[in-house]
Every structure is written in C-alpha cells, then in structure tokens.
Amino acid sequence: MMGRGRRMIAVVFSAAILMGCGPQGMDAAINSPYPTGAEKKNVLYTAFAARSPKFLDPARSYSTDETPYTYNIYEPLYGYHYLKRPYELIPRTATSIAEPKFLDKDGRELPAAAPVADIAESVYDIELKRGIMFAPNPVFAREEDGEFSYWPIHESELKDKFAMTDFAKTGTRELTAYDYVYALRRLASPRVASPIFSTLAEHIVGFKQYGSRLREMDAALRKDLPVGTRDVPWLDLRETGFAGVQALDSHTLRIRVKGLYPQFKYWLAMTFVAPIPWEADRFYSQPGMARRNLTLNNWPVGTGPYMLGESIQNRRHVLERNPNFRGEPYPCEGEPGDREKGLLADCGKMTPFIDRIVFNMEKESIPLQGKFIQGYYDIPQVDRGDTGVAMLVAAGDSTEKAALYAQHAIQLPTTVEAQMQYFGFNWKDPVVGRGDTPEQQVRNRKLRQALSIAFNWEEYVAIFENDQAQVAYGPVPPGVLGYIPGEAGINRVVYDVKGGKAVRKSLDQAKRLLAQAGYPNGRDEKTGEPLVLYFDAMGGASGSSPTLDWMRRQFSLLGVQMDIRATDYNRFQEKMARGVAQMYMWGWVADYPDAENFLFLLYGPNVKAGKGGENASNYENPEYDALFERMRDLPDGPEKERVIAQMIEILQVDAPWMFGVFPKSGGAFQQWVGNAKPTQMVRNTLQYMKIDSELRAKKIQEWNPPIWWPVGLIVALIGLVLWLAGRTLRKQDRRTAFGNVAGEDAK
C-alpha cells in the first residue's frame, strides 16, 4: 500500500506540474513584462540601453541618456517652448527672460545701444517665481523641535539605507535665489569637477578666481587625511562667495557677465545652473553616504514635474509625479501644422499629464523592438533621436515592416535638428585653400565651387541617409534664428532656381569653372598632370567603402582624382590640429539654438591649426570676421538676421565648405501617446506627453491574443500521463508473487 501510495503521489505531482504550466503558458504567449493590469494605469513605459545614467548631479551631467531624468527633475531658470520653431527661450522658474543692463569700467550704467567697446559688464537681475517647492525629500526632514532628522547621522544608522526611499521622513521648502547661487558656486568646486566650469569661468566675473579659492579650501580640509579618502569634511559653499553671482534677496538672482555676451542667456536653460539646496549637499557629504550610492549622482533633489521614486542600477528607474509641483499650462501656440496634428488640443491644461515614467533596461535591441511592437513600450528610448529614423528606413526597405507599422499606427514624426555634417577644405592648403596671390585665390575659389557643384548631396542623402536628411545651402540649420527658408536661402553658386526650387547646376558649368581654375578636364594646364586631391577619412576607415567609392565617383565626373588617406580618429585629430589635412568631413551639434553656435565654426580667431579652436577649415576672411563680431553682439531680431544673411552669402561664394546635410531626428511613439513631437533641444518633453491607457490596454490585448493550443496540448499530455499511470498501477496489482501478471501462463 505504501509503495502504491508513493506512486500515486508521483503521478499527481507530475500532473500538477503540467497543470501549472497551463496558465503560465498563456502568459508566456502574451509575454507581458508587467504585472496584470499595469497597461491600464497612467504610466509611460520606455527603455534605456547599455547602462544606467552615470551622472544625475546637474553640475556633472552632460550626456543625452541622462537628460530625460535631469530636465524633468530639475528646473533651470529658462527652458524652450515645446512646440515653437525656431526655438524660443521661455522662463521656467524665472518670471521672465531678463534683459541685461550694461556697465562701463567705472560701474556706470550705459544705454542699451551703447558701443560694444564701452561695455565692461552685462548684469542680469533675474526674478524668481514665488511658491515653487522642492519635491519631498529626506534632506529637508525636520523634527518637531526644528532640528534636521538626518543631520548629523552616524554611519551605523545607514546599515539598511541604500535608497532615499529607505528614509522614513521627508520634508520640503520653497525655492529661493540662494539655491541658484549655491548651484553656481558648486560648478567651481574641485569635488564636483564640472565639465562646464572652464567655459563659464571665461564669462562670469570672478568665477575663475573663485575656483582657485575653493581648491585651496578643499586642500586645507584634506590636509591631514590619507590620500584617496572618500569621507571628507563638508565644504560649505555658503561661507565663501564671489561678486559674479549673488542673491539680492530671496527671489532675485544677479549674475555679472564680462563684456557683452548675448548668448549667455542660453546657458541659463541648461541644468548646469539648476538649483541645488545646501541641505542636499550637506546631507550627501556625510560619512558612508557615497559608499551606498547616496549621492546627487544617484538621487537628485529638484523642483521639477517629476522626482526619482525608484532606482535600481542597470535594471530599472522610475520617475514619479512630484506632488509639490505647481503645474504649468500646456502651450497654446506652435509652428504651422501643429494644430492639424492635434498638438494644440490640450491648450491651457496643467502639466504633467502622466503619473509615472518607468525606464527598464534592455541589453539587446531586438527584444526592445519586439516589446515595442507588442505594445509593452510606449516609446522605445526617450533620449534617442534616431529610433524613428531607423524605423522609417526599415519601412522603406521592407513592405512587411511598413505594413506592420501601419497596422499598429505607430507615429514616426521627424524633424531637422540643430546639427550638420559638412565637407571641409583646408584654407592653408595651396591647392584647395585660400591661395597666396590674388590670382591664385580666384583660381582656388573656382576649383572649390566646381567641386561643390559636382558633389551631388541630394544623391548622397538618398543613398546614405535614406532620405532622412536635408541638403544644406549654408551653415545655419532650420529651427535656428538666421536660417533662410525657401527660395531666398538657396545657394546660387551651386544651384539654379527654377519654379522656386533649387536645381543643381550642370556638370558643364562645373567643368567651365574647373577650366578657369587651371584644370581643364581635370589636368593642370601648365604641366598636363592629373589633378589629385586628398581626403582624410576618420575613424580608421579603409580606403574603400561604399561612401568613399561614391565620393571618388563624384570627383571623377570632372576628371579629378580623389585619393583617400584613411586614419584612426586620434591620428585624424592630430592632422587637423596641425592643419595638414587637405579635405575632410566633420559634423557639429549645437549646444544652443543660436546662429553664432554654427557661424563661429568659420570665424578666423577660432582656427584649429595652432590655436585649437573649432574652425577646422582654418578659414579666414576679414569681412566675414567683422560681420561675425557684429552679429555675435546683436540681440535677436531683423538686424541680426540681415547680418547673418550677409555672412552666409560670403561663405557660399568662398566655399570653404561644401555645406553638406542637416540630419533628421525622429521619434517612435505608439498611437496612444499624445503630444509627441521629436526634438533634441527641448529636454523636458515628458512633461507634455500623455497616455491613453484604455486604448493601450485594448491594443495590447488585440495584438497579443492568448494562444490556447498549448493548453489543449497540455490537457492531452496530462490525460496520457494519467492513462499510462493507471495502466501501470493495474498491472502492478495483477502481478503474482513470481512476478507474472495474473492470467498469463507460467513458463
């Protein structure tokens, strides 16, 4: 009986295992990565790849994968209008965009139209909105007697503390101008090592000297500590300040900038100048905090629409609605076409619309794409501007993918971003550069113009950019003040205008220019030798690739030979620094949406060879440089646009660049994601998006129906197992003492 009982238990156990696979099998078919019902909640699901964000401390963060967190948690003084193009600077915590007042060297105020040479300082007095509160956080927690709950805290009390959510008590307080003062002072701290300090130190009065003073203070605090000690006494930045950044009162910030620097306002839209409460800096400086990843790099403290509610490194991060956020109205204006796309439907409604944003890590792109197609991700990756472009290209290459994307009504909007790729000529080169004599200058210019006509960028975009780029007629991209749209902006040196459209000039016209340059049919008219030009390819590319072969063919249309000098990126940079590369291709992504950020790439004093500037072509033209200096100091408006147009015309004639292309970026959004507009300049986009969770739940169920045949198969297998088990037991019961089954003849 005991043996038979054990056999029956085994049979039932096996059946239970198989029965247990039934419902699980159905869930596996659906493959939902979330708890049941999660798709019906007001939560946005997205992913991140490679690793968790490294720096969430705004003083150090400078990577695009960090911006979805930093720009939605922190609030700089300014931001950008979500919908308008060209990009428009708007206040965030400031009441308005402050206009500077100008002072001479004796501190006397100057009129707004004062000569640039007379302006010693630009003084920005920025008023803050009142009533802005920090998100609830343990750094502000206080006891009934007013003392801080977690200051000081002994390291032994941190044994079970690995996240800010492990601290039971929280608090808050109002944002003040002193928080911005503290944040700007932190940029100079040697303990922070901000990548932006050296740049701002060139512009803010006394900032560089303040950095030196902080290094001395830090060294004094470390004097008696072993090298490499992590727990060092707190460097209280309230004790020492400098004249360039001050709080005039609790809601007025003053920043003093050297000379005239109109572009300074754009730095105030970056999280480098997001407010930092001194309480947070002090809290995180306590012994044992850094060893538990309790730092501003992991747990930000801000006033923005969201706060970090969960953070599991290289697994999951969750932004939660900040209950103390005041709410901001959704914009009521945009660029042409936004209303038709439904982007103005939420005009005036308070943002943010979404309660939580969940970022899950996906190590591989295929599972990420699969879950997006299934509906389990609303956006594949918030920080990526190439996802939508890649999907558009895939749809163009595959009718099956095109049909799938259409069936799922995936939104794939694109936009031309404030960036460019260009083909440059080295101005120092005797053949394609400026030239030493007036005669040679004319000849070299005609050579550059001829090559610019022959190099068919429209074909390049079609072949290598899959039509996801815009051919450039000048160095200023769309979305930036100074870009000239339509017929007026067409480069008349390279294109004819027919019916208001640009039509590339003929090869015959290019050949005539080439002959006038002294190279009829691609040969030197004096020596008869073929014209050979040298292109330095970066990144270790071989001398032969589809792109390089295509480029050779463009030059060969004029009879010009193009020799490829392939090199790794380090060697390429060295050659560019020495000014010995004849031709090259490079790119630029704007730090801020101002034409100055592109036009300075051809400003004479910024030459790369010998000076280390960003003018990689080493282009120098006194007329252009004078206009640049005038443009740089002008406020936005018609006069600035006229000067920019003059500068672009000079560049089109001189042709130090073939202007190349403005790449597109594109988002990929499920049909239930509202207010989605691709942009790489506006970083707090999550504040404006919304989710139709009912539609999401419906579509997920529709796209992932339960697969019932495995259940039927399992039931059949269970029946088979039970039948076999019963048959075996019956045989066991019929066996005789001699091992034979009753009824069988003994042998």
Side-chain angles (χ1 to χ4, degrees):
M1 285 294 294
M2 289 297 293
R4 181 178 179 183
R6 284 194 294 269
R7 288 196 298 272
M8 284 300 297
I9 290 172
V11 169
V12 172
F13 181 69
S14 300
I17 292 175
L18 290 173
M19 286 291 288
C21 291
Q24 315 301 335
M26 184 179 71
D27 284 347
I30 297 176
N31 196 32
S32 175
Y34 308 119
T36 302
E39 69 278 4
K40 297 179 181 179
K41 295 181 179 179
N42 186 25
V43 178
L44 184 146
Y45 293 97
T46 185
F48 65 95
R51 62 172 176 82
S52 288
K54 187 174 182 180
F55 297 118
L56 297 184
D57 182 339
R60 300 194 69 182
S61 176
Y62 209 12
S63 178
T64 55
D65 68 326
E66 296 155 359
T67 56
Y69 307 91
T70 56
Y71 278 83
N72 287 286
I73 293 173
Y74 294 108
E75 289 187 288
L77 292 158
Y78 303 155
Y80 294 104
H81 194 285
Y82 180 50
L83 300 177
K84 286 185 178 180
R85 306 293 184 270
Y87 291 102
E88 179 182 311
L89 203 64
I90 60 171
R92 287 191 73 178
T93 60
T95 58
S96 62
I97 304 299
E99 292 295 330
K101 63 181 180 182
F102 304 127
L103 305 179
D104 66 14
K105 59 183 178 60
D106 297 318
R108 293 180 300 228
E109 188 168 349
L110 297 169
V116 175
D118 294 345
I119 299 174
E121 284 186 16
S122 300
V123 180
Y124 294 81
D125 288 342
I126 304 167
E127 185 178 349
L128 301 184
K129 297 173 183 175
R130 296 177 182 270
I132 296 176
M133 305 298 290
F134 280 97
N137 197 285
V139 305
F140 302 115
R142 291 178 183 264
E143 300 301 308
E144 290 184 2
D145 60 3
E147 294 296 317
F148 283 96
S149 300
Y150 302 113
W151 173 270
I153 186 169
H154 193 272
E155 189 170 358
S156 61
E157 299 177 71
L158 297 176
K159 289 181 180 179
D160 59 345
K161 305 290 191 296
F162 297 95
M164 292 298 280
T165 51
D166 293 333
F167 294 86
K169 300 177 182 179
T170 64
T172 185
R173 67 163 173 80
E174 186 181 10
L175 171 72
T176 71
Y178 298 101
D179 297 312
Y180 284 99
V181 171
Y182 200 91
L184 283 160
R185 290 177 181 176
R186 278 188 82 245
L187 297 178
S189 172
R191 297 185 181 182
V192 175
S194 174
I196 207 65
F197 169 67
S198 60
T199 299
L200 291 183
E202 295 297 320
H203 296 289
I204 298 177
V205 173
F207 208 10
K208 185 179 294 185
Q209 294 82 354
Y210 181 68
S212 300
R213 198 181 328 155
L214 289 186
R215 285 193 293 273
E216 293 172 0
M217 293 171 63
D218 180 57
L221 290 172
R222 296 174 182 270
K223 182 176 62 175
D224 298 323
L225 298 175
V227 176
T229 301
R230 296 185 68 180
D231 295 326
V232 295
W234 177 41
L235 178 59
D236 187 354
L237 301 180
R238 295 175 300 169
E239 296 179 356
T240 306
F242 65 106
V245 177
Q246 297 173 314
L248 301 185
D249 56 48
S250 62
H251 288 82
T252 308
L253 174 69
R254 170 171 287 179
I255 304 177
R256 296 166 55 190
V257 175
K258 300 174 186 176
L260 181 66
Y261 182 38
Q263 290 74 30
F264 179 74
K265 60 187 178 184
Y266 295 113
W267 293 104
L268 303 182
M270 299 182 186
T271 50
F272 291 117
V273 293
I276 296 293
W278 65 268
E279 296 96 329
D281 195 38
R282 186 184 69 171
F283 175 90
Y284 287 126
S285 71
Q286 298 181 92
M289 289 284 184
R291 285 194 291 276
R292 290 167 173 79
N293 288 328
L294 296 174
T295 69
L296 275 173
N297 278 328
N298 302 94
W299 295 98
V301 182
T303 62
Y306 291 100
M307 61 187 204
L308 194 62
E310 181 181 351
S311 183
I312 305 175
Q313 288 294 303
N314 299 323
R315 182 179 172 189
R316 182 172 60 254
H317 304 282
V318 178
L319 293 180
E320 296 180 348
R321 184 191 291 267
N322 173 7
N324 295 340
F325 186 64
R326 60 202 175 276
E328 290 183 344
Y330 186 86
C332 293
E333 298 177 279
E335 65 176 330
D338 281 351
R339 186 175 300 279
E340 292 75 9
K341 296 172 184 175
L343 290 171
L344 296 178
D346 290 313
C347 163
K349 295 180 182 178
M350 286 298 172
T351 63
F353 297 121
I354 300 171
D355 293 333
R356 300 173 76 236
I357 297 111
V358 177
F359 299 80
N360 286 315
M361 183 171 182
E362 291 287 350
K363 296 182 179 180
E364 303 292 339
S365 61
I366 293 178
L368 170 58
Q369 285 294 318
K371 291 176 185 177
F372 177 63
I373 294 298
Q374 287 177 285
Y376 297 122
Y377 284 129
D378 306 307
I379 307 172
Q381 288 177 260
V382 173
D383 60 296
R384 295 290 296 270
D386 57 356
T387 306
V389 172
M391 292 184 71
L392 281 171
V393 172
D397 293 340
S398 168
T399 55
E400 291 182 0
K401 287 186 177 179
L404 178 62
Y405 299 162
Q407 177 190 353
H408 285 230
I410 293 173
Q411 305 174 70
L412 298 172
T414 61
T415 185
V416 179
E417 285 294 353
Q419 57 179 299
M420 76 176 308
Q421 297 172 5
Y422 63 89
F423 186 112
F425 300 104
N426 183 4
W427 211 240
K428 294 181 175 295
D429 185 81
V431 179
V432 300
R434 179 175 182 269
D436 295 330
T437 66
E439 179 187 10
Q440 191 63 41
Q441 290 169 16
V442 172
R443 291 180 58 181
N444 289 9
R445 182 170 63 246
K446 290 185 175 182
L447 171 60
R448 294 190 300 272
Q449 292 175 349
L451 295 172
S452 298
I453 293 170
F455 201 99
N456 193 324
W457 286 101
E458 289 77 14
E459 187 176 299
Y460 177 91
V461 167
I463 297 173
F464 300 108
E465 299 288 343
N466 292 285
D467 290 320
Q468 298 305 310
Q470 176 180 317
V471 175
Y473 302 142
V476 180
V480 175
L481 181 72
Y483 170 74
I484 307 172
E487 183 177 339
I490 295 173
N491 183 351
R492 306 307 174 95
V493 173
V494 176
Y495 296 89
D496 293 321
V497 178
K498 296 181 180 179
K501 304 292 184 181
V503 178
R504 185 170 290 275
K505 291 181 182 291
S506 68
L507 278 176
D508 288 338
Q509 290 171 290
K511 289 176 180 178
R512 281 195 294 272
L513 283 170
L514 188 66
Q516 293 168 16
Y519 304 102
N521 299 317
R523 291 183 174 271
D524 190 304
E525 62 183 359
K526 294 179 180 178
T527 66
E529 294 293 322
L531 175 61
V532 181
L533 299 179
Y534 299 92
F535 177 81
D536 279 87
M538 70 173 76
S542 65
S544 179
S545 72
T547 304
L548 295 176
D549 292 343
W550 178 88
M551 291 168 63
R552 283 194 188 95
R553 287 196 296 274
Q554 301 303 295
F555 278 49
S556 68
L557 295 173
L558 298 179
V560 177
Q561 297 181 27
M562 182 179 184
D563 190 9
I564 308 296
R565 298 190 291 203
T567 183
D568 61 48
Y569 189 56
N570 290 339
R571 174 64 176 155
F572 172 81
Q573 289 184 302
E574 179 186 333
K575 294 174 77 171
M576 296 300 292
R578 290 167 47 212
V580 297
Q582 189 178 55
M583 301 185 303
Y584 65 97
M585 278 187 72
W586 224 338
W588 184 256
V589 178
D591 292 309
Y592 46 84
D594 190 278
E596 180 264 352
N597 202 232
F598 288 91
L599 296 173
F600 92 114
L601 296 171
L602 290 161
Y603 178 49
N606 284 343
V607 295
K608 185 170 288 291
K611 293 186 178 180
E614 296 295 344
N615 181 351
S617 282
N618 304 302
Y619 174 69
E620 293 181 277
N621 182 318
E623 183 183 2
Y624 177 88
D625 292 346
L627 288 170
F628 176 86
E629 290 163 4
R630 181 182 168 199
M631 178 277 306
R632 180 182 57 192
D633 299 331
L634 286 172
D636 292 347
E639 184 181 359
K640 183 174 181 177
E641 290 187 83
R642 283 193 294 271
V643 174
I644 292 171
Q646 288 179 265
M647 297 171 68
I648 292 174
E649 186 176 354
I650 290 171
L651 295 176
Q652 289 171 341
V653 172
D654 271 355
W657 288 356
M658 291 193 268
F659 293 107
V661 299
F662 301 128
K664 289 183 179 180
S665 70
F669 309 96
Q670 298 286 6
Q671 58 182 285
W672 52 79
V673 178
N675 300 331
K677 185 169 184 174
T679 171
Q680 291 181 344
M681 191 62 64
V682 183
R683 300 293 189 179
N684 57 319
T685 56
L686 294 171
Q687 177 177 343
Y688 303 102
M689 293 183 190
K690 63 181 181 180
I691 293 290
D692 185 342
S693 54
E694 290 185 8
L695 178 60
R696 174 171 61 189
K698 176 184 175 182
K699 290 299 179 180
I700 286 178
Q701 185 176 16
E702 177 185 321
W703 296 339
N704 304 278
I707 302 175
W708 293 107
W709 67 262
V711 177
L713 178 61
I714 290 169
V715 171
L717 287 173
I718 291 173
L720 178 61
V721 169
L722 292 174
W723 180 80
L724 291 173
R727 184 170 180 271
T728 301
L729 289 174
R730 287 194 299 273
K731 282 188 175 183
Q732 289 289 342
D733 290 342
R734 293 166 57 198
R735 288 190 181 277
T736 66
F738 297 101
N740 297 326
V741 177
E744 290 183 357
D745 295 333
K747 295 184 179 180

